[in-house]
Amino acid sequence: MTCYVTIGIGNRRYGFGLGLFAHPIFVGNWPQVVIDRVGNRSALEGLPQSRLPEFTREEIDYIKGTYDWFGLNYYTTALAQLAYKVDDLPGNASYDIDKGHISLVDATWKVSGTTSWLHQVPWGLTRLLKWIHENYNQPEIIITENGWSDDGSNLNDSDRIEYVNVISFPSFAKQNRLNLVGKMLSQEQESLLNEVCAQDGFKDFTFSVEEGCKKGDNFLGNVRIINVKENGMSKEKSYVLKCAETDLRVRSQIPVHSLYERERFVYETLLPTFEIFQQSRALKYPFKSYTKLRGCSVKDGDECLLMNNIKDAKFQMLDRKNGMDADHVSHVFRELAKFHSVSLAMKHLLPETYQSLTSNLEDVWQEMPETQGSYLRSTEKAFDHALKIVEGHEKATKALEKCQIELNNIFSATAMESNKLVVTHGDSWCNNMMFKYEDPGNLCTPTSMCFLDWQICKISSPAMDLFYFLFLSGSKFALDNHQTFLDEYYETVQKNLQHLGLDTNEIFPYERFQQHCKQNAAACMCIAMCLLHHVLMHENHATNFVELANDGLIFEKFMNQETYSDEYNSRVRDIIYMMVDHEYI
């Protein structure tokens, strides 16, 4: 199938192409544009009736709805331009004259070196899918065939890679939740699923795959929901499959393999070791806010993690665009306190075990030192805008100007050995958390939660987790009352350490906690200034790493922005004023 972009002829080209085959099945009868056009032409030719065979009512009723899904072969796109009026050449009965248009291509479109009609037009498939989606009652669509040809002489087939990335997985399908399906699992992933399903008692089952999150909700992988059903029985279960990005341009700029290795280590080694330690010590407030890994693959280029879908257990994810209220912020701070206190306790009670466990938990991004430069350049630009946001506020302006001069020192301080105090989550924002509500008398207050996405877990300051979360996902109320939440955090740490017979004043005195907050809050402010526009962005305007990969500047383009929303300005202004009022800057 070729997608035709029409120039002044509406739906005619689709009606005389794909519609001739699909319309009788999905709608009933021929497309109206075909009925009208051929009927008018037939009358001009002096025929007593239309050349187009007419369906009987019985035939329409018999054919309509006889489908399971919409199978589509797609390769390229063309332009369609008006060529014949309805009364042109009345003596010539011709399909070409009936349809009344000619096909054109844009000279700027990339063309295959061996197939002259094959042009690479990414948005063409998007438009075709949209047309099918809107005209045929949103059917399941399986792209059964597509591809890119060459003469086979160039093994570095970047053109084919580009075609597959921009054609085979159109952004419109993700943004608008099209029923675009197909064999979406690799052999490695399907093998992993079979193994886990066997553990769960499935013997003869079928499965379906759907997108697991909206565009803008996840950046370092592709999340899919796998729904499994035992044939002939009511037994069902759903899983979450998190797959690594396969685009080679992305993988050359982002340490994808290391990120999945890190997350596997956290799930398979670190968290189970923490759990054993907590159980052996009967810790009063244990950290249990994570899901269990069911299986994984770290095969280079096909990395994936398989977990139970905790939505089935009534866990919910909040809207990333809305700052969390006091109850949610309080819950997150307490859970982070439980998590961090395990590090503090193990480091003191089992120093060799802790050292062995955390010896390789340096920042994964250190593998890509150029990202530090991107951070600094992006932050410089964010500061230029922030100064406009606080214009007229003398104290805030002076504080930002001082921070801008000291940017290198601000980021360097977070990497100092004295700052590497505990194992941190590293990416503690709204979309990496899910909450459960089990109190029937208060269904708005979470009773438990689950942290997701441990790919950049690292040794760092506890304050990095706290302020990163507060700035990216906290409400203005949470900012204004952040000291209350910090005190609640410290109290939880203190209770856990005291339960183990440890002296908090020796291991983690409050003054040291305050020092960590002072030292790391500014870095988190800088990060928030660069990332908040992604947090607040509507999915229709969201981007992903594949779309940014062409010129080798993924990270810098991701951190930068061209426009600033009122909501962004308001959130950043609130953060800056809080930082100034509490003398963090």
Side-chain angles (χ1 to χ4, degrees):
M1 179 65 194
T2 299
C3 169
Y4 285 85
V5 181
T6 56
I7 303 175
I9 58 173
N11 287 328
R12 188 191 303 173
R13 180 57 189 92
Y14 285 133
F16 275 90
L18 176 148
L20 290 176
F21 306 95
H23 218 77
I25 296 172
F26 287 88
V27 178
N29 214 341
W30 304 111
Q32 193 61 46
V33 67
V34 176
I35 295 173
D36 294 343
R37 177 88 179 179
V38 177
N40 290 334
R41 292 279 305 162
S42 298
L44 287 172
E45 293 163 10
L47 298 177
Q49 62 186 36
S50 175
R51 286 185 276 102
L52 184 69
E54 185 176 346
F55 286 112
T56 66
R57 170 48 56 188
E58 182 181 10
E59 288 171 335
I60 289 174
D61 292 341
Y62 181 79
I63 296 171
K64 183 180 177 181
T66 55
Y67 67 89
D68 295 308
W69 40 268
F70 194 110
L72 178 67
N73 289 1
Y74 171 85
Y75 285 93
T76 194
T77 292
L79 302 173
Q81 188 175 48
L82 186 68
Y84 302 101
K85 298 178 181 178
V86 72
D87 57 353
D88 283 349
L89 304 171
N92 293 274
S94 162
Y95 168 75
D96 287 332
I97 298 176
D98 280 349
K99 69 181 182 177
H101 74 270
I102 58 174
S103 300
L104 307 168
V105 296
D106 189 321
T108 64
W109 293 348
K110 180 181 291 186
V111 62
S112 163
T114 59
T115 309
S116 60
W117 55 264
L118 182 56
H119 295 83
Q120 187 177 121
V121 192
W123 46 263
L125 178 56
T126 295
R127 291 197 183 187
L128 178 57
L129 290 171
K130 181 179 180 182
W131 192 89
I132 295 170
H133 182 74
E134 293 175 348
N135 285 274
Y136 294 144
N137 196 30
Q138 304 177 18
E140 271 193 347
I141 303 171
I142 299 178
I143 299 178
T144 47
E145 190 176 305
N146 73 343
W148 183 263
S149 61
D150 59 30
D151 61 11
S153 62
N154 184 9
L155 295 180
N156 183 23
D157 52 353
S158 56
D159 286 347
R160 177 172 289 105
I161 293 169
E162 183 178 356
Y163 177 90
V164 169
N165 282 321
V166 300
I167 295 290
S168 297
F169 302 98
S171 61
F172 181 86
K174 292 184 178 181
Q175 292 174 11
N176 294 274
R177 308 300 291 164
L178 288 182
N179 291 324
L180 183 61
V181 299
K183 185 173 175 60
M184 299 176 70
L185 301 186
S186 68
Q187 185 175 352
E188 187 84 10
Q189 294 162 3
E190 194 163 338
S191 175
L192 187 62
L193 176 64
N194 289 335
E195 182 180 331
V196 171
C197 285
Q199 294 171 8
D200 289 343
F202 289 95
K203 296 179 181 178
D204 177 24
F205 64 89
T206 56
F207 68 88
S208 62
V209 184
E210 62 187 66
E211 290 293 338
C213 63
K214 298 175 183 177
K215 192 176 182 184
D217 283 349
N218 185 63
F219 299 102
L220 293 175
N222 301 302
V223 178
R224 293 166 183 161
I225 304 298
I226 305 178
N227 301 301
V228 177
K229 188 178 188 308
E230 184 76 7
N231 292 326
M233 298 177 63
S234 59
K235 181 181 176 67
E236 297 180 358
K237 189 176 179 67
S238 68
Y239 302 91
V240 173
L241 181 71
K242 182 177 176 181
C243 315
E245 181 55 65
T246 58
D247 188 297
L248 296 181
R249 298 165 303 169
V250 174
R251 296 178 71 92
S252 69
Q253 300 174 59
I254 303 292
V256 175
H257 185 75
S258 295
L259 291 167
Y260 277 80
E261 283 276 20
R262 174 63 54 86
E263 191 160 22
R264 180 186 72 157
F265 172 78
V266 171
Y267 276 119
E268 290 188 341
T269 305
L270 188 139
L271 290 173
T273 303
F274 274 19
E275 185 173 343
I276 292 170
F277 172 79
Q278 293 177 110
Q279 290 174 350
S280 68
R281 305 281 171 160
L283 197 61
K284 189 172 184 179
Y285 303 103
F287 175 73
K288 299 185 292 184
S289 297
Y290 59 94
T291 187
K292 298 294 191 293
L293 179 68
R294 299 301 309 279
C296 71
S297 168
V298 287
K299 179 182 178 182
D300 198 10
D302 199 9
E303 302 90 349
C304 65
L305 304 168
L306 186 66
M307 292 158 281
N308 293 336
N309 185 2
I310 61 174
K311 283 187 178 181
D312 293 345
K314 309 302 182 185
F315 280 87
Q316 304 173 35
M317 185 175 289
L318 303 183
D319 187 339
R320 58 182 162 82
K321 297 184 288 295
N322 299 327
M324 289 192 198
D325 62 21
D327 289 334
H328 287 84
V329 173
S330 174
H331 196 94
V332 172
F333 270 52
R334 290 198 308 271
E335 291 305 310
L336 285 172
K338 295 174 187 178
F339 178 56
H340 296 158
S341 65
V342 179
S343 290
L344 293 169
M346 281 190 71
K347 189 190 303 188
H348 189 80
L349 296 172
L350 299 173
E352 292 182 1
T353 301
Y354 181 79
Q355 173 60 31
S356 174
L357 187 66
T358 61
S359 59
N360 293 316
L361 279 184
E362 295 297 328
D363 191 343
V364 173
W365 293 106
Q366 288 183 358
E367 294 182 21
M368 300 281 184
E370 61 272 18
T371 61
Q372 182 68 15
S374 296
Y375 251 133
L376 291 172
R377 288 188 294 273
S378 301
T379 307
E380 284 276 4
K381 182 177 179 181
F383 264 97
D384 290 339
H385 180 73
L387 286 166
K388 297 175 184 176
I389 294 175
V390 301
E391 190 173 358
H393 192 298
E394 184 178 355
K395 193 173 181 182
T397 299
K398 287 183 177 179
L400 284 181
E401 288 174 343
K402 181 181 178 184
C403 284
Q404 197 168 18
I405 295 170
E406 297 176 350
L407 269 181
N408 270 311
N409 293 335
I410 288 173
F411 283 113
S412 297
T414 65
M416 294 171 59
E417 284 302 315
S418 60
N419 207 52
K420 298 176 182 179
L421 189 62
V422 298
V423 178
T424 62
H425 180 278
D427 197 13
S428 52
W429 72 298
C430 177
N431 274 35
N432 288 334
M433 304 169 186
M434 295 181 74
F435 299 90
K436 192 171 184 177
Y437 309 86
E438 295 181 293
D439 181 355
N442 189 359
L443 293 177
C444 295
T445 300
T447 52
S448 57
M449 69 171 293
C450 183
F451 286 93
L452 311 172
D453 196 347
W454 296 82
Q455 290 184 327
I456 52 179
C457 172
K458 61 184 177 182
I459 295 289
S460 186
S461 167
M464 287 296 291
D465 269 351
L466 298 173
F467 282 89
Y468 183 97
F469 163 71
L470 187 66
F471 293 161
L472 289 180
S473 301
S475 63
K476 186 178 186 304
F477 178 86
L479 291 175
D480 292 342
N481 295 274
H482 78 283
Q483 190 59 52
T484 300
F485 301 118
L486 290 175
D487 289 343
E488 191 173 9
Y489 166 90
Y490 187 79
E491 182 182 345
T492 305
V493 171
Q494 193 174 42
K495 287 178 179 178
N496 258 354
L497 295 181
Q498 287 175 348
H499 178 74
L500 295 173
L502 298 173
D503 184 355
T504 311
N505 291 325
E506 176 188 344
I507 296 174
F508 191 42
Y510 189 74
E511 294 75 18
R512 188 179 183 192
F513 175 52
Q514 288 180 310
Q515 181 185 1
H516 272 261
C517 292
K518 176 81 173 178
Q519 183 169 300
N520 292 275
C524 291
M525 178 190 73
C526 295
I527 294 170
M529 287 164 57
C530 293
L531 295 183
L532 259 175
H533 64 288
H534 286 289
V535 175
L536 300 172
M537 192 175 291
H538 189 277
E539 61 180 285
N540 289 342
H541 302 122
T543 188
N544 59 45
F545 285 161
V546 173
E547 295 169 356
L548 302 175
N550 278 334
D551 55 10
L553 296 172
I554 287 180
F555 207 76
E556 190 155 343
K557 288 192 290 186
F558 182 77
M559 299 284 282
N560 281 326
Q561 56 184 319
E562 299 302 324
T563 59
Y564 300 88
S565 68
D566 291 342
E567 180 63 20
Y568 171 88
N569 291 341
S570 176
R571 291 274 290 266
V572 170
R573 186 185 299 113
D574 290 341
I575 291 170
I576 294 170
Y577 288 169
M578 177 220 119
M579 292 285 287
V580 171
D581 291 344
H582 292 270
E583 299 183 348
Y584 289 112
I585 57 174

